[in-house]
Each structure stands twice: as C-alpha cells, then as structure tokens.
Amino acid sequence: MVVCKCRKATKLYCFVHKVPVCGECICFPEHQICVVRTYSEWVIDGEYDWPPKCCQCQAVLEEESGSETTRLGCLHVIHTSCLVSHIKSFPPHTAPAGYVCPLCSTTIWPPKNVKDSGSRLHSLLKEAIMLTGLEKNLFGNHPVSLAVAESRGPPPAFASDPIVNVNASSSPSKDGINITEGYTAPSTVSEIMEIDGPSPAGNFIKSSSPVVRVL
Ligand SMILES: [Zn+2]
Ligand SMILES: [Zn+2]
Ligand SMILES: [Zn+2]
Ligand SMILES: [Zn+2]
C-alpha cells in the first residue's frame, strides 16, 4: 500500500507521473490516459509503453481526449465509444462476469482494482456502461447505485435517534413528571412518523442524483 496525494491508501501507481493514485485521483485529467498499474508491479518493473493505446481499437490515445476515454477496473483505458460497442457486441444472455476487458479479459464490473465503490472511477465507468442501455446485464447482483447504499443508511438513523431520546427522557419520568413526559413523548413520536415517510426518500433521491451526475 502507498498513499495517494489526497492521503487515501492505495495500491495503484501512475507509471507516467510516478505517483500513487487512488480510485478518485486516477480520474483527474492529468492521469486520464496514463499507464496505471499496482505499486508492486512498478517496483518490479517500471517500464511502460508510450503513447498509450485504446485497449479495444488500438488507436493512440490523445492527451486531450477528456471524457472520450474511460478507465476500466483493470486499469486499461478505452475510448468510451469503443467500450459501448464492445459491450453491445456480447450476446444478450451473457452473465455479468462474462463482460470483460477486450485486452486482459478482466470482468468489467465491479472494477477489480478499486475497492472503494464510491470512487470516481466507479461513477465514470458506471456512466459509460449506462450509455449501452445494458447496465442491468453487467451490474447483475452487484449493488451499483450510490443512492441505494445511501438510502439504506439514513432511515434507521432517522428512526432510531429520536426513539432513543424518547426512551431516555421517559424512563426517568417515572419518578414524578409522568404526565408532562406522557404528553411530549407521543407527540414527538407521531411527528417522527409523519416526517419519516415522505422525507428521507425524497431527500435521498434529490441529494444523490446530482452527486452521480457531477462525478
Ligand atoms: Zn487520491
Ligand atoms: Zn499520471
Ligand atoms: Zn478505441
Ligand atoms: Zn484490461
């Protein structure tokens, strides 16, 4: 493990800039078409081919290509349009693990070398895969949407925090303030119930979709 500029631990290393990169920073424009492999590979042999080529059509990649290229989880770079046509070239009943990198045959989803599923590499690769309209085939049973992961988290937090407070305030009340506590506790609970239904779902759809687009 090495430490990326942004202080995340990573095992990936940009052979061109000779710096560690994480699943986030690997997507910065400066590394867009860089040769990136694991740090342990670099230690053994830092040689690499330059200029880099699209792992599908073998055309030389241009530095200014920007979003026209996509980094696969095997760390190969592919034209986004080549990725789309590559994915579409698989038979329709291909299993998720059957969609592989054209060069090294590593399964495209989930990205093999980046474990942090919230990384920019994940978002960009996901976006590129969604251009094919075949995302269901590729994603299979792997949880993909950030929104799904997030919406599972907050509702229990919303639900449990106020209940803990109510319990905490109502149990000492047995000593004397029974009536006051009796009035406040149920009203708090009913407010929570009302808020709980519509708001978390709405919030999470609103807050998570721009995140996905921005990334
Ligand atoms: Zn980083
Ligand atoms: Zn680089
Ligand atoms: Zn290409
Ligand atoms: Zn590959």
Side-chain angles (χ1 to χ4, degrees), residues 41-146:
E41 281 174 89
W42 182 79
V43 169
I44 294 163
D45 182 5
E47 294 291 310
Y48 60 90
D49 292 329
W50 195 263
K53 295 180 181 146
C54 169
C55 66
Q56 164 75 348
C57 70
Q58 302 301 321
V60 169
L61 297 170
E62 308 284 338
E63 203 115 21
E64 306 81 32
S65 57
S67 61
E68 287 163 31
T69 63
T70 297
R71 175 84 59 175
L72 299 174
C74 57
L75 305 174
H76 285 127
V77 180
I78 188 168
H79 289 120
T80 307
S81 56
C82 286
L83 177 63
V84 169
S85 51
H86 172 64
I87 288 174
K88 286 183 173 169
S89 72
F90 285 91
H93 296 295
T94 304
Y99 289 89
V100 296
C101 168
L103 190 60
C104 68
S105 298
T106 299
T107 299
I108 292 172
W109 194 270
K112 178 181 167 240
N113 280 298
V114 179
K115 299 297 174 210
D116 172 11
S117 62
S119 80
R120 191 175 301 218
L121 185 145
H122 278 72
S123 319
L124 293 176
L125 180 54
K126 192 198 318 178
E127 262 174 45
I129 291 171
M130 285 177 23
L131 295 174
T132 65
L134 296 170
E135 63 272 10
K136 284 195 183 120
N137 298 18
L138 274 87
F139 295 157
N141 295 324
H142 296 284
V144 165
S145 167
L146 299 176

Side-chain angles (χ1 to χ4, degrees), residues 14 16-17 30-31 34:
C14 173
V16 180
H17 295 96
E30 57 184 302
H31 300 299
C34 284

Side-chain angles (χ1 to χ4, degrees), residues 3-10 20-26 28:
V3 180
C4 180
K5 211 158 122 189
C6 72
R7 296 175 179 232
K8 274 198 200 96
T10 180
V21 285
C22 67
E24 195 70 21
C25 301
I26 194 175
F28 287 173

